[in-house]
Amino acid sequence: MSLLGNGTQDALDAGAGKAQTSQGITLSTFFASLVGAIAVFAIEFGLFLIIKNKFSRIYQPRTYLVPERERTKAPPAGLWQWVVPVFRTSNSDFIQKCGLDAYFFLRYLRTLLKIFVPLAFIILPILIPTNLVRGRGDSFAVGKYSLNQTLYTNVSGLDQLAWGNVRPDRNSRYWAHLILAIVVVVYTCFIFFDELRGYIRLRQAYLTSPQHRLRASATTVLVTAIPRKWCTFEALDGLYDVFPGGIRNIWVNRNYDELSEKVKMRETLALKLEGAETALIKNAKKAHLKKLKGEAKKAGKAGHKEAKEKQLDQQRASNMDGAAMAETAGISTGNPHQVRHTVDEALADASNEPSREQSPERKKPFVPIPVLGQGIEAVGHGIDNIGRTVFKGLKQVGKDVDDRLNTTGGFAPNSDALAAGSSDTHHDHAHRDPTTTAETSTASSRYPHAHNATSQEKQPRQPDNDVVRSISQDKEGHFRPPADQRLALPPQKNHFDFGGDGTHDDPRLDDIYRNPQRLGEANKPHKAGLKFWNHKRSTPFGIPSPTPHRKEEDEFPLNADPITPGANPQATANDLDSVKDVNRGKSTKEKSESKANEYPAAYNEEYDPNDDGEPAWKTYLTDKDRDTMRLPIFGWTWMPSLPLMGQKVDTIDHCRKELARLNVEIEQDQREPEKFPLMNSAFVQFNHQVAAHMACQAVSHHTPNQMAPRAVEISPDDVIWDNMSTKWWESYLRTGVVILLIMGLIVGWAFPVTFTGLLSQIKYLTDNYTWLRWLGRAPTWVLSIVQGILPPLLLSLLLAILPVILRLLAKSQGDHTGMAVELSVQSYYFAFLFVQVFLVVSISSGITTVIDQISNGPQNVPSILASNLPKASNYFFSYLLLQALSVSAGALVQVLGLFKWFVLAPLLDNTARQKWARQTSLPDMQWGTFFPVYTNLAAIGLIYSVISPLILIFNIITFSLFWLVYRYNTLYVTKFRFDTGGLLYPKAINQLFTGLYVMELCLIGLFFLVRDADDSGHAVGTPCKGQAIVMLVVFLLTILYQYLLNKAFGPLFRYLPITLEDEAVMRDEEFARAQEKQWNLGEDEEEGEDINDILEKRARRSKEESKQAEEIEMKAIEARRERGRLDPRNLGSMVPSAIGNLLPAKGSWADRSRNQPARDSAMPSHDHFISLHRPQRRKVDPESQRPAVNPIGEALFSGINDEIEDLTPEERDKLVQRAFQHEALRAKRPVIWIPRDELGVSDDEIHRTQRFSKHIWISNEYTGLDGKARVVYRRSPPDFSEVDLIEL
């Protein structure tokens, strides 16, 4: 008996068995549906051929709207010429432009073709005649076979080509089905093995390529669930230092939830203020134009033609003025100079920071590559949400279709853009500042290597002697750090009474400072006596718990440190206690007051707008024309504004105050990160890629589930910071809850689907339910909309929000990166599709009945599948045909992109930033909901490959068309920001086993259901019992095969083996030589210079470099000799290069990298020489004969340097220093980007904002209004930085 009510059960079973309605479909009916699908495909495909060259923004944006490194060559013009590069683009070029995920998706489609094409050639010639010739047909159930109408039925239509057409007196034919089923299983399993082997080989080649190994993500490991005492810089440094090459960077994460909320609120207010200011400026100009039009109309009654021509001349002049304003710098105020627009600016700014060798805490003598201090401050406060919209926004153009054929979406092209080069494009952000207030000049923190655990905001630079003076000595001569940097200990309890409160006056701290090695020691067990509840204090079996290690000090440091060991002001786990101790004893009111008083004034509270005279906008508008907004009720910031509820305020005035306040609070909080509590996670960057992969595979902690899981190949911008503090048990609990919710969603999806179906039966509802009879009195046109348009619209909306729901659930379960979320969504979405799209529509008894049957007897599964699946085969013929023709053509013609471009953009995009985001944001591919669609289609094909072999033809058509469509889209349309390195591919391969299992179970049931017929027509015996037993054995062997396959290949799916490192190092050296050769050629090859002159110049330079290097080595040797003793670890570095070449070379990469000495900070490195001789990064030559390019892409992306291959290791380290910090700590002050106008309203608003507060960055650089008061822009926003585009 079902536990569900009758109504609920009916709703859940509403869609059951829908596929069986297509049983016995005739050939004519099938061809009719085929003709309709072909017609839709022809229309959409023809539309694509006609408009693809006219709308390059929609169909070829990757040819110009991305940085030059990612651009693909535009396909040749013509109706069919675009097909040639789609097929001829090499795999290496494709991977370089699109990444491994895109490549492996297309390879996945090709793998499916590699499965189904050979199977079709083998199965169709055998099974089609076997099923068709002398089969049952449409006149079988006569005579003796008419006695059993249930078992012996006529077969018609396409079902005559399937399993059920075999007559009962020819059951021996089923041996052919068994043999071919085994062929399907064996061949498919072989393809899986071969593809996984190829996947591993290609992924390893990609990960060990020199270009990839340069990235920080290749050597950085995320360590989660770190115990409290191990979550310090010293503990992690000492723990992971055992791996080859040592550690380069460590970022201990802090909980910046409060700061993150402020940053999100600031971004929201900044966009509101930008929109309100833009609307004010536009409305003022519209009012001015309306006034001019009225005056012209009055004056033109006598000469209407002359007045109309004058009006057109004024509009053309206004358009020219708007374009001219968009080409000028405009004015700006409140710029904190946090943004470094180019890589060169970022590197120049970071070069002023002290290197890590100068850091007081850096004692590691064997880091082979020097790492520079705090790193890039040119990234400002990092990559904010607005800057990232280069890849994630929407597309934008003008108003009507005719204008949009030639429009640039608000972009005002400059005729001199191509000749200006990169120096005249977005790199040059010069502007006039109406103020003379000096901006704060900043420098790095004194402890740059602590990263998230220490202050990263710019602070005034202090000389080294300040560091010395900050350390005091006690009476016995022991060094002690200042009070604000000392460790805070909890107060002692029980019989250990020091009389202290656990703060810096605690006597225990004296012992720690005198004996710093005891800092991480476990507490000695106390005598618990009868206090059995205190057993946790005693160590089990008398074995103490391991304690964090301290870093080994360099016995012979090249740079003597003024700070002694033990006086390290690194952030530790005790920071949380110290914060609590500060606020202990304070009331809530005192805490809030102290928190409010810790921030300086953000704006001038005495500012009166009337002091500056009447605003410029009042000449054209009134107060009621300004935008207003309603504040959330009860002061709840999390609640959205509601109409007619809450206080009504002026949008500009309110947003100015709140934005200034948040800017001050955020920037001060960013300067004081130590006040935020520590998380239980950290990022550890190694010097070698293999060390990172070894650290992920090694067991880090002696306690289960501690310091695990660990992940590598993480992009800094892909980190989900909200999940960085998730505990291991919390992750398990969340995952369990999410799985239960997913199961409920899969089963309960029938409720909303049933509701949408009921909307199409309004008459039935009004006749049977009295409380709905009021609907029958609605107008006829309303009922037509409700019954005809609303149901499919709601169903489409449900299917659109389903991926969003799945991603929210996957994120809430604790995944640490966006790519990990996509991997989780891939599993959940496939389960949903397989159940709802395949099982529910195939099984007639309904999902609730099936669940009851399976729970009562799992052995019923084969019989349930066998009695239902063969009847649903014709439905999936039509389903695959629809996917192959209409969906593929729709993906090619970009229906959604056209809708956004021509409908949404004119309605929604009003500001310059919105238009810029629409123009520069390309469609993104969300792989988690993309792979499962085609995995489900492939699983259906495998299930029916023997039961109804005709489906193989439709699988081949489907995957061939999709391969062509998505090959084009990935090359020319779609942008790929993040990449899993192809990890979705092996998961999709494993999900395909579902199709094999269901096929085997179904065949087992079908074989057992086969019956012989005696002379009287009665069913007797089980003639195919042997086939069923063989298939059962094959089913068990398939399970064993998948287990062994994953056991063998599983560790290689994610991690690299040690055996590849030697070859990778050799490729790195070859790549370095090629890069150096390229740089040398770039410097030496001058126009008209003879080759002999080039060689002579190289010889002179080489001689000078050798002489300089020899002098430096001699100085270093002399400095070591003065220390009196030699450190054997530094012996190899003291041998002159000429003699060192005679020594035997070390045998491996580990020998070459371990225990290298710390380089003197005054010693120029080889990278320094490379940087000196490297030419400037690419710039556009205005006189070069370059092919014609799109002016928008040239202005927005010309000269952008996002290639890290052109940077030295030291320069890359500068960019990495802040990359793995919390996004809230890197957030930059947003600019309010408003358009200029000839009326002066924009300039007046900027001046008034500056007088109101110096903490609001507002600018009208390179944007203006055209003759119709539409916003045009010339360059990227002032807060856009090309550094944000670099994939570290």
Side-chain angles (χ1 to χ4, degrees):
M1 181 177 179
S2 176
L3 297 177
L4 301 173
N6 292 332
T8 303
Q9 184 171 352
D10 292 341
L12 289 175
D13 298 341
K18 183 174 65 174
Q20 296 189 14
T21 59
S22 300
Q23 182 181 8
I25 185 174
T26 63
L27 199 60
S28 59
T29 304
F30 176 75
F31 275 118
S33 62
L34 176 62
V35 171
I38 292 177
V40 174
F41 175 81
I43 293 174
E44 292 181 332
F45 190 73
L47 180 64
F48 165 76
L49 294 177
I50 294 172
I51 67 177
K52 71 179 182 67
N53 292 325
K54 296 181 180 180
F55 295 101
S56 59
R57 171 58 187 81
I58 296 178
Y59 298 109
Q60 301 171 16
R62 290 202 55 176
T63 61
Y64 67 96
L65 269 181
V66 293
E68 295 180 13
R69 178 178 62 87
E70 302 177 16
R71 292 181 186 177
T72 55
K73 186 178 179 181
L79 290 179
W80 300 102
Q81 284 79 354
W82 58 274
V83 178
V84 176
V86 169
F87 282 94
R88 289 189 176 180
T89 302
S90 64
N91 290 336
S92 59
D93 291 340
F94 188 90
I95 293 174
Q96 181 182 1
K97 302 293 184 182
C98 305
L100 277 185
D101 283 341
Y103 169 78
F104 275 114
F105 171 72
L106 293 174
R107 179 161 177 166
Y108 183 60
L109 296 179
R110 192 184 67 182
T111 299
L112 298 179
L113 290 174
K114 193 161 67 171
I115 292 174
F116 290 112
V117 171
L119 289 180
F121 279 103
I122 296 173
I123 294 176
L124 292 177
I126 298 176
L127 285 189
I128 294 297
T130 302
N131 297 331
L132 181 62
V133 176
R134 295 184 181 182
R136 296 188 181 189
D138 52 7
S139 59
F140 168 70
V142 294
K144 65 178 184 179
Y145 295 114
S146 61
L147 299 177
N148 192 341
Q149 296 292 336
T150 303
L151 184 61
Y152 302 134
T153 59
N154 294 329
V155 180
S156 61
L158 296 178
D159 289 339
Q160 294 182 8
L161 306 177
W163 172 283
N165 198 44
V166 178
R167 296 174 64 91
D169 55 351
R170 293 181 174 88
N171 288 330
S172 59
R173 293 187 179 186
Y174 285 119
W175 283 105
H177 295 79
L178 173 65
I179 294 173
L180 290 176
I182 295 175
V183 169
V184 170
V185 173
V186 173
Y187 176 72
T188 305
C189 288
F190 169 75
I191 293 297
F192 291 167
F193 170 81
D194 185 63
E195 285 299 316
L196 290 180
R197 184 175 58 180
Y199 158 78
I200 289 173
R201 187 185 305 114
L202 183 58
R203 174 177 164 84
Q204 290 174 351
Y206 175 80
L207 295 183
T208 57
S209 63
Q211 294 87 345
H212 181 79
R213 283 161 62 90
L214 293 177
R215 305 187 186 279
S217 57
T219 56
T220 303
V221 174
L222 170 62
V223 185
T224 61
I226 305 176
R228 183 168 178 174
K229 69 177 181 179
W230 290 90
C231 195
T232 64
F233 180 87
E234 292 90 347
L236 293 174
D237 194 18
L239 178 65
Y240 288 108
D241 185 57
V242 298
F243 296 105
I247 295 174
R248 179 175 296 188
N249 285 311
I250 294 178
W251 295 268
V252 180
N253 299 324
R254 288 183 179 269
N255 190 341
Y256 295 101
D257 289 347
E258 181 181 355
L259 179 60
S260 182
E261 290 299 321
K262 291 182 180 180
V263 171
K264 293 176 183 178
M265 186 184 301
R266 179 176 70 173
E267 299 299 336
T268 302
L269 291 172
L271 293 177
K272 285 184 178 180
L273 178 57
E274 193 172 80
E277 292 280 12
T278 302
L280 181 70
I281 298 168
K282 290 174 62 177
N283 291 336
K285 181 160 185 176
K286 287 179 181 179
H288 176 64
L289 293 176
K290 185 177 181 181
K291 180 180 179 181
L292 293 179
K293 186 176 180 180
E295 294 176 354
K297 187 175 181 181
K298 292 180 181 179
K301 290 182 178 180
H304 179 70
K305 184 176 181 180
E306 292 78 3
K308 189 173 183 179
E309 292 180 353
K310 183 178 180 181
Q311 183 179 354
L312 292 175
D313 291 339
Q314 290 177 348
Q315 183 174 344
R316 283 193 290 268
S318 182
N319 287 334
M320 295 178 62
D321 292 341
M325 287 183 179
E327 294 175 2
T328 58
I331 62 176
S332 175
T333 183
N335 185 358
H337 302 291
Q338 297 170 340
V339 179
R340 301 299 178 262
H341 299 95
T342 67
V343 175
D344 290 330
E345 291 178 6
L347 295 175
D349 183 74
S351 297
N352 297 327
E353 303 298 331
S355 67
R356 288 190 60 171
E357 285 76 10
Q358 294 172 328
S359 173
E361 285 74 30
R362 193 62 185 171
K363 311 291 188 205
K364 193 102 3 223
F366 45 83
V367 177
I369 301 178
V371 179
L372 301 188
Q374 181 174 334
I376 173 170
E377 294 181 357
V379 188
H381 291 292
I383 305 169
D384 57 7
N385 293 329
I386 298 176
R388 278 200 297 247
T389 56
V390 177
F391 300 103
K392 295 184 179 176
L394 301 173
K395 300 175 284 293
Q396 152 67 28
V397 283
K399 246 180 182 179
D400 53 81
V401 174
D402 294 334
D403 290 343
R404 301 196 66 73
L405 287 173
N406 299 318
T407 190
T408 59
F411 174 77
N414 183 5
S415 58
D416 300 329
L418 299 182
S422 60
S423 61
D424 250 354
T425 56
H426 66 105
H427 292 177
D428 182 14
H429 284 265
H431 57 270
R432 295 183 291 110
D433 196 331
T435 69
T436 57
T437 304
E439 301 288 350
T440 305
S441 176
T442 58
S444 66
S445 170
R446 289 183 301 162
Y447 308 106
H449 67 282
H451 301 289
N452 286 10
T454 56
S455 176
Q456 295 297 325
E457 186 59 42
K458 304 177 183 179
Q459 296 178 358
R461 188 185 304 275
Q462 297 182 2
D464 292 341
N465 54 1
D466 289 343
V467 180
V468 180
R469 287 196 298 268
S470 66
I471 307 299
S472 60
Q473 291 182 335
D474 58 13
K475 297 179 180 180
E476 300 180 12
H478 296 286
F479 286 96
R480 292 169 57 99
D484 60 342
Q485 296 176 355
R486 299 179 192 171
L487 303 177
L489 298 180
Q492 288 288 338
K493 297 179 181 180
N494 298 335
H495 56 279
F496 288 94
D497 187 7
F498 285 96
D501 57 359
T503 59
H504 61 276
D505 293 326
D506 199 318
R508 291 170 292 163
L509 290 176
D510 295 332
D511 179 62
I512 289 179
Y513 290 128
R514 295 184 183 120
N515 304 280
Q517 69 276 5
R518 296 182 54 186
L519 180 60
E521 291 181 358
N523 293 331
K524 296 181 179 180
H526 305 300
K527 295 181 180 180
L530 297 178
K531 298 179 181 181
F532 57 88
W533 58 84
N534 211 20
H535 69 280
K536 292 184 179 180
R537 293 183 178 270
S538 60
T539 56
F541 306 106
I543 302 176
S545 174
T547 57
H549 299 283
R550 292 177 46 80
K551 295 184 296 183
E552 296 182 4
E553 308 299 335
D554 190 0
E555 187 175 0
F556 301 98
L558 296 181
N559 294 316
D561 261 331
I563 297 182
T564 61
N568 186 357
Q570 280 289 353
T572 66
N574 291 320
D575 288 347
L576 183 59
D577 292 336
S578 63
V579 173
K580 293 180 180 179
D581 290 339
V582 172
N583 292 325
R584 187 175 299 161
K586 293 184 179 181
S587 64
T588 305
K589 182 177 181 181
E590 290 175 343
K591 291 179 182 179
S592 60
E593 290 178 354
S594 63
K595 186 174 181 180
N597 294 331
E598 66 184 6
Y599 299 112
Y603 54 87
N604 183 9
E605 297 182 358
E606 299 178 356
Y607 172 74
D608 186 359
N610 297 323
D611 293 343
D612 298 326
E614 187 178 52
W617 59 269
K618 278 200 172 183
T619 307
Y620 312 97
L621 302 173
T622 61
D623 290 336
K624 67 178 182 179
D625 295 323
R626 288 168 63 94
D627 286 355
T628 59
M629 60 182 292
R630 291 196 178 267
L631 300 181
I633 58 175
F634 307 121
W636 295 338
T637 56
W638 53 268
M639 176 175 285
S641 300
L642 301 175
L644 304 178
M645 298 182 66
Q647 181 183 358
K648 187 176 182 181
V649 296
D650 184 89
T651 301
I652 295 178
D653 293 340
H654 174 75
C655 290
R656 277 178 181 171
K657 293 180 181 179
E658 291 300 305
L659 186 63
R661 177 184 64 83
L662 289 174
N663 282 336
V664 171
E665 293 182 4
I666 290 172
E667 289 166 10
Q668 180 161 331
D669 289 344
Q670 289 173 336
R671 288 191 294 267
E672 302 171 354
E674 65 278 355
K675 70 181 182 180
F676 294 93
L678 289 170
M679 288 183 177
N680 62 344
S681 61
F683 291 97
V684 181
Q685 185 186 13
F686 295 87
N687 284 304
H688 284 309
Q689 183 186 37
V690 68
H693 286 261
M694 292 171 67
C696 284
Q697 298 176 78
V699 179
S700 296
H701 201 267
H702 57 281
T703 304
N705 294 318
Q706 298 294 329
M707 304 187 77
R710 294 169 300 279
V712 71
E713 297 291 341
I714 294 178
S715 175
D717 299 332
D718 194 38
V719 175
I720 302 177
W721 293 102
D722 294 339
N723 293 339
M724 285 292 104
S725 59
T726 305
K727 300 177 177 61
W728 66 267
W729 58 266
E730 186 180 356
S731 177
Y732 284 4
L733 182 62
R734 289 185 179 186
T735 303
V737 173
V738 167
I739 291 176
L740 291 177
L741 292 175
I742 295 293
M743 294 173 61
L745 181 64
I746 293 174
V747 175
W749 186 254
F751 284 110
V753 174
T754 303
F755 173 75
T756 59
L758 290 176
L759 290 177
S760 61
Q761 305 292 331
I762 295 294
K763 188 176 185 305
Y764 171 80
L765 294 176
T766 55
D767 292 342
N768 291 274
Y769 299 96
T770 56
W771 59 279
L772 291 176
R773 288 180 180 175
W774 61 273
L775 289 174
R777 296 190 293 269
T780 305
W781 63 272
V782 174
L783 293 178
S784 300
I785 293 177
V786 172
Q787 295 182 110
I789 299 177
L790 199 56
L793 183 63
L794 289 178
L795 187 60
S796 301
L797 183 62
L798 286 173
L799 295 176
I801 65 174
L802 175 62
V804 178
I805 296 174
L806 294 179
R807 284 188 174 84
L808 288 176
L809 292 175
K811 183 179 179 181
S812 64
Q813 75 181 12
D815 290 338
H816 298 103
T817 64
M819 290 295 97
V821 169
E822 293 301 310
L823 289 169
S824 298
V825 171
Q826 182 185 11
S827 301
Y828 300 147
Y829 196 48
F830 173 73
F832 177 89
L833 291 176
F834 191 77
V835 173
Q836 286 293 332
V837 175
F838 174 67
L839 291 180
V840 170
V841 301
S842 300
I843 300 175
S844 60
S845 55
I847 190 170
T848 56
T849 306
V850 171
I851 292 175
D852 289 339
Q853 292 176 353
I854 294 176
S855 60
N856 293 331
Q859 68 276 8
N860 296 327
V861 172
S863 61
I864 294 173
L865 296 176
S867 59
N868 288 279
L869 296 191
K871 302 176 184 179
S873 59
N874 293 337
Y875 170 83
F876 292 107
F877 293 167
S878 302
Y879 180 75
L880 286 171
L881 200 61
L882 178 67
Q883 293 286 327
L885 297 177
S886 61
V887 177
S888 64
L892 190 63
V893 80
Q894 297 287 324
V895 177
L896 184 60
L898 292 173
F899 175 76
K900 291 179 178 179
W901 189 255
F902 289 105
V903 178
L904 295 183
L907 295 176
L908 303 180
D909 298 341
N910 298 311
T911 67
R913 188 184 302 278
Q914 290 172 336
K915 294 190 174 187
W916 170 82
R918 180 84 65 179
Q919 184 69 259
T920 58
S921 300
L922 275 60
D924 193 12
M925 193 74 76
Q926 294 180 312
W927 296 114
T929 51
F930 212 71
F931 266 88
V933 175
Y934 305 98
T935 304
N936 190 50
L937 297 178
I940 294 173
L942 289 174
I943 292 169
Y944 284 105
S945 60
V946 176
I947 300 172
S948 184
L950 193 63
I951 201 170
L952 296 173
I953 297 177
F954 300 104
N955 280 113
I956 294 173
I957 296 174
T958 300
F959 298 128
S960 298
L961 287 176
F962 276 119
W963 184 91
L964 179 65
V965 169
Y966 289 116
R967 178 83 169 181
Y968 178 88
N969 284 348
T970 50
L971 278 174
Y972 300 112
V973 179
T974 311
K975 171 68 179 177
F976 307 98
R977 176 61 173 166
F978 303 114
D979 198 274
T980 66
L983 291 177
L984 300 106
Y985 184 71
K987 176 168 283 192
I989 293 289
N990 275 280
Q991 289 173 345
L992 280 178
F993 276 97
T994 307
L996 292 180
Y997 295 143
V998 175
M999 180 198 74
E1000 293 164 347
L1001 290 173
C1002 185
L1003 287 176
I1004 292 172
L1006 286 172
F1007 283 132
F1008 276 120
L1009 291 178
V1010 173
R1011 296 290 184 269
D1012 277 332
D1014 57 15
D1015 295 337
S1016 61
H1018 294 90
V1020 295
T1022 309
C1024 293
K1025 183 184 297 184
Q1027 291 95 320
I1029 294 175
V1030 172
M1031 187 52 60
L1032 179 60
V1033 174
V1034 172
F1035 172 74
L1036 297 177
L1037 290 177
T1038 306
I1039 297 176
L1040 178 63
Y1041 176 81
Q1042 185 183 12
Y1043 169 76
L1044 295 177
L1045 187 70
N1046 285 288
K1047 184 178 181 181
F1049 286 108
L1052 298 174
F1053 285 162
R1054 288 179 176 267
Y1055 305 119
L1056 293 174
I1058 303 176
T1059 53
L1060 298 177
E1061 185 65 16
D1062 282 330
E1063 296 181 2
V1065 170
M1066 293 173 60
R1067 288 195 297 270
D1068 290 345
E1069 294 172 353
E1070 294 176 1
F1071 179 76
R1073 288 193 294 268
Q1075 289 292 99
E1076 186 174 1
K1077 181 179 179 182
Q1078 177 183 355
W1079 294 331
N1080 291 338
L1081 287 177
E1083 177 183 313
D1084 293 337
E1085 292 181 356
E1086 298 178 3
E1087 184 177 0
E1089 191 172 10
D1090 184 70
I1091 185 64
N1092 294 323
D1093 296 335
I1094 296 176
L1095 295 176
E1096 184 178 354
K1097 183 187 297 184
R1098 290 184 183 178
R1100 287 198 305 267
R1101 186 182 63 209
S1102 178
K1103 184 177 181 180
E1104 292 174 358
E1105 291 177 0
S1106 300
K1107 183 177 179 181
Q1108 185 177 1
E1110 184 178 355
E1111 293 177 354
I1112 293 173
E1113 285 190 14
M1114 292 302 298
K1115 291 180 180 179
I1117 293 175
E1118 291 297 331
R1120 293 188 186 99
R1121 287 177 178 174
E1122 291 177 359
R1123 293 185 175 90
R1125 290 191 301 167
L1126 296 179
D1127 186 352
R1129 293 177 297 178
N1130 297 333
L1131 184 59
S1133 63
M1134 293 185 237
V1135 180
S1137 57
I1139 301 176
N1141 294 332
L1142 301 177
L1143 298 177
K1146 297 189 177 182
S1148 70
W1149 53 269
D1151 295 331
R1152 291 191 295 269
S1153 63
R1154 287 293 294 176
N1155 298 334
Q1156 294 186 10
R1159 182 184 295 131
D1160 194 329
S1161 60
M1163 181 188 303
S1165 64
H1166 176 66
D1167 299 326
H1168 174 70
F1169 291 129
I1170 292 178
S1171 63
L1172 287 178
H1173 299 294
R1174 181 182 60 213
Q1176 292 183 347
R1177 292 178 181 80
R1178 58 182 184 276
K1179 292 185 179 181
V1180 179
D1181 184 3
E1183 298 182 359
S1184 63
Q1185 300 297 322
R1186 307 180 66 206
V1189 293
N1190 191 295
I1192 301 178
E1194 190 67 16
L1196 297 179
F1197 292 99
S1198 175
I1200 281 186
N1201 303 296
D1202 63 338
E1203 297 184 8
I1204 64 172
E1205 293 89 348
D1206 293 340
L1207 303 177
T1208 66
E1210 291 178 350
E1211 292 172 336
R1212 287 193 297 271
D1213 287 335
K1214 295 175 185 178
L1215 299 179
V1216 169
Q1217 291 302 315
R1218 293 175 63 88
F1220 283 97
Q1221 290 180 343
H1222 196 287
E1223 59 183 359
L1225 203 62
R1226 296 180 278 119
K1228 298 173 290 188
R1229 180 187 297 184
V1231 61
I1232 309 303
W1233 197 29
I1234 61 177
R1236 294 188 71 191
D1237 63 314
E1238 64 270 22
L1239 304 179
V1241 177
S1242 175
D1243 293 347
D1244 183 65
E1245 288 296 302
I1246 292 177
H1247 284 283
R1248 291 178 179 274
T1249 303
Q1250 183 270 326
R1251 293 184 180 91
F1252 175 75
S1253 174
K1254 65 178 181 180
H1255 299 290
I1256 299 178
W1257 184 10
I1258 184 169
S1259 171
N1260 58 14
E1261 301 173 82
Y1262 304 106
T1263 179
L1265 296 178
D1266 64 5
K1268 294 183 179 180
R1270 295 177 300 192
V1271 177
V1272 294
Y1273 63 94
R1274 174 65 181 83
R1275 300 182 185 176
S1276 298
D1279 55 0
F1280 171 74
S1281 172
E1282 71 179 40
V1283 182
D1284 298 346
L1285 301 179
I1286 298 179
E1287 298 179 9
L1288 296 171

